Every structure is written in C-alpha cells, then in structure tokens.
Amino acid sequence: MYSQYDYIRSGVVQGSCLGPLLFLIYINDIIDCFDDKVNCKLYADDVKLYTELRSADGGNCFQVCLDRIYQWSLT
C-alpha cells in the first residue's frame, strides 16, 4: 500500500515548515538583477518593482530589468 508521500517526486509539500525557508533561499539572489534606479520589494512570494520614469531612458532601464528577471527565471 502506498502512502501520500510515495508519489512526491520533487518539490516541497505545501504547508510544510521547510517550504518558506527554501523559497527564501531560492529567490534571495533576484535582487542582483536590478540596478540602483529600480526599486524591488520582496514579500512572501511576491516581487514588486517600481521606479520613477522621467524620460524614455527610464522606461528602457526598467525593460532591461524585466528582461533580466526573465533570464533569471529561465536559469
């Protein structure tokens, strides 16, 4: 007879005590994707980015940060 844990092949069981700690270790380096012009706030499993856009160059800088997050997620 199989228990519920025999089917878990990867990851962490939802609601476990270890889950939040492992997530924090996993996402800790996402801040390295940003430069000083873009602000990043991390809370639980949310990431919030914001910046003040004073010119088109600011929008381009923000887009570069979004592209870096995309590359980070692929890695």
Side-chain angles (χ1 to χ4, degrees):
M1 179 115 186
Y2 292 106
S3 71
Q4 66 183 19
Y5 300 108
D6 292 331
Y7 296 104
I8 298 172
R9 301 288 182 227
S10 66
V12 178
V13 178
Q14 186 172 357
S16 70
C17 295
L18 193 54
L21 175 64
L22 292 176
F23 179 76
L24 289 174
I25 292 170
Y26 168 75
I27 201 167
N28 191 40
D29 67 337
I30 197 170
I31 297 174
D32 298 336
C33 295
F34 315 119
D35 56 15
D36 295 337
K37 296 178 183 178
V38 176
N39 298 306
C40 175
K41 300 292 182 191
L42 302 174
Y43 180 77
D45 61 349
D46 294 326
V47 178
K48 182 176 186 174
L49 301 176
Y50 60 96
T51 188
E52 183 177 350
L53 300 177
R54 294 186 180 195
S55 66
D57 185 49
N60 293 336
C61 177
F62 195 72
Q63 183 61 50
V64 167
C65 289
L66 293 176
D67 294 339
R68 288 178 186 164
I69 289 176
Y70 177 70
Q71 288 301 318
W72 176 87
S73 70
L74 294 177
T75 303

Coordinates of all heavy atoms in Angstrom, one line a residue:
M1 N 0.9 -1.2 0.0 CA 0.0 0.0 0.0 C 0.9 1.2 0.0 O 1.9 1.3 0.7 CB -0.9 0.0 1.3 CG -1.8 1.1 1.4 SD -3.4 0.5 1.3 CE -4.4 1.9 1.3
Y2 N 0.5 2.2 -0.8 CA 1.3 3.5 -0.9 C 0.7 4.5 0.0 O -0.5 4.6 0.2 CB 1.3 4.0 -2.3 CG 2.0 3.1 -3.3 CD1 1.4 2.3 -4.2 CD2 3.4 3.1 -3.3 CE1 2.0 1.5 -5.1 CE2 4.1 2.3 -4.2 CZ 3.4 1.5 -5.1 OH 4.1 0.7 -5.9
S3 N 1.6 5.3 0.6 CA 1.2 6.5 1.4 C 1.2 7.7 0.5 O 1.7 7.6 -0.7 CB 2.1 6.7 2.6 OG 3.4 7.2 2.1
Q4 N 0.7 8.8 0.9 CA 0.6 10.0 0.1 C 2.0 10.5 -0.2 O 2.2 11.2 -1.2 CB -0.1 11.1 0.9 CG 0.6 11.6 2.1 CD -0.2 12.6 2.9 OE1 -1.4 12.8 2.7 NE2 0.4 13.4 3.7
Y5 N 3.1 10.2 0.5 CA 4.4 10.7 0.3 C 5.2 9.9 -0.8 O 6.2 10.3 -1.2 CB 5.2 10.7 1.6 CG 4.6 11.6 2.6 CD1 3.9 11.1 3.7 CD2 4.6 13.0 2.5 CE1 3.3 11.9 4.7 CE2 4.0 13.8 3.4 CZ 3.4 13.2 4.5 OH 2.8 14.1 5.4
D6 N 4.6 8.7 -1.1 CA 5.3 7.9 -2.2 C 5.2 8.5 -3.6 O 5.9 8.1 -4.5 CB 4.7 6.5 -2.2 CG 5.0 5.7 -0.9 OD1 6.1 6.0 -0.3 OD2 4.2 4.8 -0.5
Y7 N 4.3 9.4 -3.8 CA 4.0 10.0 -5.1 C 4.8 11.3 -5.3 O 4.8 11.8 -6.4 CB 2.5 10.2 -5.3 CG 1.7 8.9 -5.3 CD1 1.0 8.6 -4.2 CD2 1.8 8.1 -6.4 CE1 0.3 7.4 -4.2 CE2 1.1 6.9 -6.4 CZ 0.3 6.6 -5.3 OH -0.3 5.4 -5.3
I8 N 5.4 11.9 -4.3 CA 6.1 13.1 -4.4 C 7.5 12.8 -5.0 O 8.3 12.1 -4.4 CB 6.2 13.8 -3.1 CG1 4.9 14.2 -2.5 CG2 7.1 15.1 -3.2 CD1 4.9 14.7 -1.1
R9 N 7.7 13.4 -6.2 CA 9.0 13.1 -6.9 C 9.9 14.3 -6.8 O 11.1 14.2 -6.9 CB 8.7 12.8 -8.3 CG 7.9 11.6 -8.6 CD 8.6 10.4 -8.2 NE 7.8 9.2 -8.5 CZ 7.6 8.2 -7.7 NH1 8.2 8.2 -6.5 NH2 6.8 7.2 -8.0
S10 N 9.4 15.5 -6.6 CA 10.2 16.7 -6.4 C 9.4 17.8 -5.7 O 8.2 17.7 -5.6 CB 10.7 17.2 -7.8 OG 9.6 17.7 -8.5
G11 N 10.1 18.8 -5.3 CA 9.5 19.9 -4.6 C 9.3 19.7 -3.1 O 9.9 18.8 -2.5
V12 N 8.5 20.6 -2.5 CA 8.3 20.5 -1.1 C 6.8 20.5 -0.9 O 6.0 21.1 -1.6 CB 8.9 21.8 -0.4 CG1 8.6 21.7 1.1 CG2 10.4 21.8 -0.6
V13 N 6.3 19.7 0.1 CA 4.9 19.6 0.3 C 4.3 20.9 0.8 O 4.9 21.6 1.6 CB 4.6 18.5 1.5 CG1 3.2 18.5 1.8 CG2 5.2 17.2 1.0
Q14 N 3.2 21.3 0.2 CA 2.6 22.6 0.5 C 2.2 22.6 2.0 O 1.6 21.6 2.5 CB 1.4 22.9 -0.4 CG 0.8 24.3 -0.2 CD -0.2 24.6 -1.2 OE1 -0.5 23.8 -2.1 NE2 -0.8 25.7 -1.1
G15 N 2.5 23.7 2.7 CA 2.1 23.8 4.1 C 3.2 23.3 5.0 O 3.0 23.3 6.2
S16 N 4.3 22.8 4.4 CA 5.4 22.3 5.3 C 6.1 23.5 5.9 O 6.1 24.6 5.5 CB 6.4 21.5 4.5 OG 7.1 22.3 3.6
C17 N 6.9 23.2 7.0 CA 7.7 24.2 7.7 C 8.9 24.6 6.9 O 9.4 25.7 7.0 CB 8.1 23.7 9.0 SG 6.7 23.5 10.1
L18 N 9.4 23.7 6.1 CA 10.6 23.9 5.3 C 10.3 24.7 4.0 O 11.3 25.4 3.5 CB 11.2 22.5 4.9 CG 12.6 22.4 4.4 CD1 13.5 23.1 5.3 CD2 13.0 21.0 4.1
G19 N 9.1 24.7 3.5 CA 8.8 25.4 2.3 C 9.2 26.9 2.2 O 9.9 27.3 1.3
P20 N 8.8 27.7 3.2 CA 9.1 29.1 3.2 C 10.6 29.4 3.2 O 11.1 30.3 2.5 CB 8.4 29.7 4.4 CG 7.3 28.7 4.7 CD 7.8 27.4 4.3
L21 N 11.3 28.6 4.0 CA 12.8 28.8 4.1 C 13.5 28.5 2.8 O 14.3 29.2 2.3 CB 13.4 27.9 5.2 CG 14.9 27.9 5.3 CD1 15.4 29.3 5.7 CD2 15.4 26.9 6.3
L22 N 13.1 27.4 2.1 CA 13.7 27.0 0.8 C 13.3 28.1 -0.2 O 14.1 28.4 -1.1 CB 13.2 25.6 0.4 CG 13.7 24.5 1.3 CD1 13.1 23.2 0.8 CD2 15.2 24.4 1.2
F23 N 12.1 28.6 -0.2 CA 11.7 29.6 -1.1 C 12.6 30.9 -1.0 O 13.0 31.5 -1.9 CB 10.2 30.0 -1.0 CG 9.8 31.0 -2.0 CD1 9.6 30.7 -3.3 CD2 9.6 32.3 -1.5 CE1 9.2 31.7 -4.2 CE2 9.3 33.3 -2.4 CZ 9.0 33.0 -3.8
L24 N 12.8 31.3 0.3 CA 13.6 32.5 0.5 C 15.1 32.3 0.0 O 15.7 33.2 -0.5 CB 13.6 32.8 2.0 CG 12.3 33.4 2.5 CD1 12.4 33.5 4.0 CD2 12.0 34.7 1.9
I25 N 15.6 31.1 0.2 CA 16.9 30.8 -0.3 C 16.9 30.8 -1.8 O 17.9 31.4 -2.4 CB 17.4 29.4 0.2 CG1 17.6 29.5 1.7 CG2 18.7 29.0 -0.5 CD1 17.9 28.2 2.4
Y26 N 15.9 30.3 -2.4 CA 15.8 30.3 -3.9 C 15.7 31.7 -4.5 O 16.3 32.0 -5.5 CB 14.6 29.4 -4.3 CG 14.2 29.5 -5.7 CD1 14.9 28.9 -6.7 CD2 13.0 30.2 -6.1 CE1 14.5 28.9 -8.0 CE2 12.7 30.3 -7.4 CZ 13.4 29.7 -8.4 OH 13.1 29.7 -9.7
I27 N 14.9 32.5 -3.9 CA 14.6 33.9 -4.5 C 15.6 34.9 -4.0 O 15.5 36.1 -4.5 CB 13.1 34.3 -4.3 CG1 12.7 35.3 -5.3 CG2 12.9 34.7 -2.8 CD1 11.2 35.5 -5.3
N28 N 16.4 34.6 -3.1 CA 17.3 35.6 -2.5 C 18.1 36.4 -3.5 O 18.4 37.6 -3.3 CB 18.2 35.0 -1.4 CG 18.9 36.0 -0.6 OD1 18.3 37.0 -0.2 ND2 20.1 35.7 -0.3
D29 N 18.6 35.8 -4.5 CA 19.5 36.5 -5.5 C 18.8 37.2 -6.6 O 19.4 37.8 -7.4 CB 20.5 35.5 -6.1 CG 19.8 34.5 -7.0 OD1 18.6 34.2 -6.8 OD2 20.5 33.9 -7.8
I30 N 17.5 37.3 -6.5 CA 16.7 38.0 -7.6 C 17.0 39.5 -7.5 O 17.0 40.2 -8.5 CB 15.2 37.8 -7.5 CG1 14.6 38.2 -8.9 CG2 14.6 38.5 -6.4 CD1 13.2 37.8 -9.0
I31 N 17.4 40.0 -6.4 CA 17.7 41.4 -6.2 C 18.9 41.8 -7.0 O 19.1 43.0 -7.4 CB 17.9 41.8 -4.7 CG1 16.6 41.5 -4.0 CG2 18.3 43.2 -4.5 CD1 16.7 41.7 -2.5
D32 N 19.8 40.9 -7.3 CA 21.0 41.2 -8.1 C 20.7 41.5 -9.5 O 21.6 42.0 -10.3 CB 22.0 40.0 -8.1 CG 22.5 39.7 -6.7 OD1 22.4 40.6 -5.8 OD2 22.8 38.5 -6.4
C33 N 19.5 41.3 -10.0 CA 19.1 41.6 -11.4 C 18.8 43.1 -11.6 O 18.8 43.5 -12.7 CB 17.8 40.9 -11.7 SG 17.9 39.1 -11.7
F34 N 18.8 43.9 -10.5 CA 18.3 45.3 -10.7 C 19.5 46.2 -10.4 O 20.4 45.9 -9.6 CB 17.2 45.6 -9.7 CG 16.1 44.5 -9.7 CD1 15.9 43.8 -8.6 CD2 15.5 44.2 -10.9 CE1 14.9 42.8 -8.6 CE2 14.5 43.2 -10.9 CZ 14.2 42.5 -9.7
D35 N 19.4 47.4 -11.1 CA 20.4 48.4 -10.8 C 19.8 49.4 -9.7 O 18.7 49.2 -9.2 CB 20.8 49.2 -12.0 CG 19.7 49.7 -12.8 OD1 18.6 49.9 -12.3 OD2 19.9 50.1 -14.0
D36 N 20.5 50.5 -9.4 CA 20.0 51.4 -8.4 C 18.8 52.2 -8.7 O 18.1 52.7 -7.8 CB 21.2 52.4 -8.0 CG 22.4 51.7 -7.4 OD1 22.2 50.6 -6.9 OD2 23.5 52.2 -7.5
K37 N 18.5 52.3 -10.0 CA 17.3 53.1 -10.4 C 16.0 52.4 -10.2 O 14.9 53.0 -10.2 CB 17.4 53.5 -11.9 CG 18.6 54.4 -12.1 CD 18.7 54.7 -13.6 CE 20.0 55.6 -13.8 NZ 20.2 55.8 -15.3
V38 N 16.0 51.1 -10.1 CA 14.8 50.3 -9.9 C 14.7 49.8 -8.5 O 15.7 49.2 -8.0 CB 14.7 49.1 -11.0 CG1 13.5 48.3 -10.7 CG2 14.8 49.7 -12.4
N39 N 13.6 50.0 -7.9 CA 13.4 49.6 -6.5 C 12.7 48.2 -6.5 O 11.8 48.0 -7.3 CB 12.5 50.6 -5.7 CG 13.2 51.9 -5.6 OD1 14.3 52.0 -5.2 ND2 12.5 52.9 -6.1
C40 N 13.1 47.3 -5.6 CA 12.5 46.0 -5.5 C 12.1 45.7 -4.1 O 12.8 45.9 -3.2 CB 13.5 45.0 -6.0 SG 13.0 43.3 -5.8
K41 N 10.9 45.2 -4.0 CA 10.3 44.8 -2.7 C 9.9 43.4 -2.7 O 9.2 42.9 -3.7 CB 9.1 45.7 -2.2 CG 9.4 47.1 -2.1 CD 10.3 47.4 -1.0 CE 10.5 48.9 -0.9 NZ 11.6 49.3 0.0
L42 N 10.4 42.6 -1.8 CA 10.0 41.2 -1.7 C 9.2 40.9 -0.5 O 9.5 41.4 0.6 CB 11.3 40.3 -1.6 CG 12.3 40.4 -2.7 CD1 13.5 39.6 -2.4 CD2 11.7 39.9 -4.0
Y43 N 8.1 40.3 -0.6 CA 7.2 39.9 0.5 C 6.6 38.6 0.2 O 5.9 38.4 -0.8 CB 6.1 41.0 0.7 CG 5.3 40.6 1.9 CD1 5.7 40.8 3.2 CD2 4.0 40.1 1.7 CE1 4.9 40.5 4.3 CE2 3.2 39.8 2.8 CZ 3.7 40.0 4.1 OH 2.9 39.7 5.2
A44 N 6.9 37.6 1.1 CA 6.4 36.3 0.9 C 6.7 35.8 -0.5 O 7.9 35.6 -0.8 CB 4.9 36.2 1.2
D45 N 5.7 35.5 -1.3 CA 6.1 35.0 -2.7 C 5.8 36.1 -3.8 O 5.6 35.8 -4.9 CB 5.3 33.7 -3.0 CG 3.8 33.9 -2.9 OD1 3.3 35.0 -2.5 OD2 3.0 33.0 -3.4
D46 N 5.8 37.3 -3.4 CA 5.5 38.4 -4.3 C 6.8 39.3 -4.5 O 7.6 39.4 -3.6 CB 4.5 39.4 -3.8 CG 3.1 38.7 -3.7 OD1 2.8 37.8 -4.6 OD2 2.3 39.0 -2.8
V47 N 7.0 39.8 -5.7 CA 8.0 40.7 -6.1 C 7.4 41.9 -6.7 O 6.6 41.8 -7.6 CB 9.0 40.0 -7.1 CG1 10.1 41.0 -7.5 CG2 9.6 38.8 -6.6
K48 N 7.7 43.1 -6.1 CA 7.2 44.3 -6.7 C 8.4 45.2 -7.1 O 9.3 45.4 -6.4 CB 6.4 45.1 -5.6 CG 5.8 46.3 -6.1 CD 4.9 47.0 -5.0 CE 4.2 48.2 -5.6 NZ 3.3 48.7 -4.6
L49 N 8.3 45.6 -8.4 CA 9.3 46.5 -8.9 C 8.7 47.9 -9.2 O 7.5 48.0 -9.7 CB 9.8 46.0 -10.3 CG 10.5 44.6 -10.2 CD1 10.8 44.2 -11.6 CD2 11.7 44.6 -9.4
Y50 N 9.4 48.9 -8.9 CA 8.9 50.3 -9.2 C 10.1 51.2 -9.4 O 11.1 51.0 -8.9 CB 7.9 50.8 -8.2 CG 8.5 50.9 -6.8 CD1 9.0 52.1 -6.4 CD2 8.5 49.8 -5.9 CE1 9.5 52.2 -5.1 CE2 9.0 49.9 -4.7 CZ 9.5 51.1 -4.2 OH 10.0 51.2 -3.0
T51 N 9.8 52.2 -10.2 CA 10.8 53.3 -10.5 C 10.1 54.5 -10.9 O 8.9 54.5 -11.2 CB 11.8 52.8 -11.6 OG1 12.9 53.7 -11.7 CG2 11.1 52.7 -12.9
E52 N 10.8 55.6 -10.9 CA 10.3 56.9 -11.4 C 10.7 57.1 -12.8 O 11.9 57.1 -13.1 CB 10.7 58.0 -10.5 CG 10.2 59.4 -10.9 CD 10.6 60.5 -9.9 OE1 11.2 60.2 -8.9 OE2 10.4 61.6 -10.2
L53 N 9.8 57.2 -13.7 CA 10.1 57.4 -15.1 C 10.1 58.9 -15.4 O 9.1 59.5 -15.5 CB 9.1 56.7 -16.0 CG 9.1 55.2 -15.8 CD1 8.0 54.6 -16.7 CD2 10.4 54.5 -16.1
R54 N 11.3 59.4 -15.7 CA 11.4 60.8 -16.0 C 11.7 61.0 -17.5 O 11.6 62.1 -18.0 CB 12.6 61.5 -15.2 CG 12.2 61.5 -13.7 CD 13.3 62.3 -13.0 NE 13.0 62.3 -11.6 CZ 13.5 63.1 -10.7 NH1 14.5 63.9 -11.1 NH2 13.2 63.1 -9.5
S55 N 12.1 60.0 -18.2 CA 12.4 60.0 -19.6 C 12.2 58.7 -20.2 O 11.9 57.7 -19.5 CB 13.8 60.5 -19.9 OG 14.7 59.6 -19.4
A56 N 12.3 58.6 -21.5 CA 12.2 57.3 -22.2 C 13.3 56.4 -21.8 O 13.2 55.2 -21.8 CB 12.2 57.5 -23.7
D57 N 14.5 57.0 -21.4 CA 15.6 56.2 -21.0 C 15.2 55.4 -19.7 O 15.7 54.3 -19.5 CB 16.8 57.0 -20.7 CG 18.0 56.2 -20.4 OD1 18.3 55.2 -21.1 OD2 18.7 56.6 -19.4
G58 N 14.4 56.0 -18.9 CA 14.0 55.3 -17.6 C 13.1 54.1 -18.0 O 13.2 53.0 -17.3
G59 N 12.3 54.2 -19.0 CA 11.5 53.1 -19.4 C 12.4 52.0 -20.0 O 12.1 50.8 -19.8
N60 N 13.4 52.3 -20.7 CA 14.3 51.3 -21.3 C 15.1 50.6 -20.2 O 15.3 49.4 -20.2 CB 15.3 52.0 -22.2 CG 14.7 52.5 -23.5 OD1 13.6 52.0 -23.9 ND2 15.3 53.5 -24.1
C61 N 15.5 51.4 -19.1 CA 16.2 50.8 -18.0 C 15.3 49.8 -17.3 O 15.7 48.7 -16.9 CB 16.6 51.9 -17.0 SG 17.4 51.3 -15.5
F62 N 14.0 50.1 -17.1 CA 13.0 49.2 -16.5 C 12.8 48.0 -17.3 O 12.7 46.9 -16.8 CB 11.7 50.0 -16.3 CG 10.8 49.3 -15.3 CD1 11.1 49.3 -14.0 CD2 9.6 48.7 -15.7 CE1 10.2 48.6 -13.1 CE2 8.8 48.0 -14.9 CZ 9.1 48.0 -13.5
Q63 N 12.8 48.1 -18.6 CA 12.6 47.0 -19.5 C 13.8 46.0 -19.4 O 13.7 44.8 -19.4 CB 12.4 47.4 -21.0 CG 12.2 46.2 -21.9 CD 10.9 45.4 -21.5 OE1 9.9 46.0 -21.3 NE2 11.1 44.1 -21.5
V64 N 15.0 46.6 -19.3 CA 16.2 45.8 -19.1 C 16.1 44.9 -17.8 O 16.5 43.8 -17.8 CB 17.5 46.7 -19.1 CG1 18.7 45.9 -18.6 CG2 17.7 47.3 -20.5
C65 N 15.6 45.6 -16.8 CA 15.4 44.8 -15.5 C 14.4 43.7 -15.7 O 14.6 42.6 -15.2 CB 15.0 45.8 -14.4 SG 16.3 46.9 -13.9
L66 N 13.3 43.9 -16.4 CA 12.3 42.9 -16.7 C 12.9 41.8 -17.5 O 12.7 40.6 -17.2 CB 11.1 43.5 -17.4 CG 10.3 44.5 -16.5 CD1 9.2 45.0 -17.4 CD2 9.7 43.8 -15.3
D67 N 13.8 42.1 -18.4 CA 14.4 41.1 -19.2 C 15.4 40.3 -18.4 O 15.5 39.0 -18.6 CB 15.2 41.7 -20.4 CG 14.3 42.4 -21.4 OD1 13.1 42.0 -21.5 OD2 14.8 43.3 -22.2
R68 N 16.0 40.9 -17.4 CA 16.9 40.2 -16.5 C 16.2 39.2 -15.6 O 16.6 38.1 -15.4 CB 17.7 41.2 -15.7 CG 18.8 41.9 -16.4 CD 19.5 42.9 -15.5 NE 20.4 43.7 -16.2 CZ 20.9 44.9 -15.7 NH1 20.6 45.3 -14.4 NH2 21.7 45.6 -16.4
I69 N 15.0 39.6 -15.2 CA 14.2 38.7 -14.4 C 13.8 37.5 -15.2 O 13.7 36.4 -14.7 CB 12.9 39.5 -13.8 CG1 13.3 40.4 -12.8 CG2 11.9 38.5 -13.3 CD1 12.1 41.3 -12.3
Y70 N 13.4 37.8 -16.4 CA 13.0 36.7 -17.3 C 14.2 35.7 -17.5 O 14.0 34.5 -17.3 CB 12.6 37.2 -18.7 CG 12.3 36.1 -19.7 CD1 11.2 35.3 -19.5 CD2 13.1 35.9 -20.7 CE1 10.9 34.3 -20.4 CE2 12.9 34.9 -21.7 CZ 11.7 34.1 -21.5 OH 11.5 33.1 -22.4
Q71 N 15.4 36.2 -17.7 CA 16.6 35.3 -17.8 C 16.8 34.6 -16.5 O 17.2 33.4 -16.5 CB 17.8 36.1 -18.2 CG 17.7 36.6 -19.7 CD 17.6 35.4 -20.6 OE1 18.3 34.4 -20.5 NE2 16.8 35.5 -21.6
W72 N 16.7 35.3 -15.4 CA 16.8 34.7 -14.1 C 15.9 33.5 -13.9 O 16.2 32.5 -13.4 CB 16.6 35.7 -13.0 CG 16.7 35.2 -11.6 CD1 17.8 35.0 -10.8 CD2 15.6 34.7 -10.8 NE1 17.4 34.5 -9.6 CE2 16.1 34.3 -9.5 CE3 14.2 34.7 -11.0 CZ2 15.3 33.8 -8.5 CZ3 13.4 34.2 -10.0 CH2 13.9 33.8 -8.8
S73 N 14.6 33.7 -14.3 CA 13.6 32.6 -14.2 C 13.9 31.4 -15.0 O 13.6 30.3 -14.7 CB 12.2 33.2 -14.5 OG 12.1 33.4 -15.9
L74 N 14.5 31.7 -16.2 CA 14.9 30.5 -17.0 C 16.1 29.8 -16.4 O 16.2 28.5 -16.6 CB 15.3 31.0 -18.4 CG 14.2 31.6 -19.3 CD1 14.8 32.2 -20.6 CD2 13.1 30.6 -19.5
T75 N 17.0 30.5 -15.8 CA 18.1 29.8 -15.1 C 17.7 29.0 -13.9 O 18.1 27.9 -13.7 CB 19.2 30.9 -14.7 OG1 19.5 31.7 -15.8 CG2 20.4 30.2 -14.1

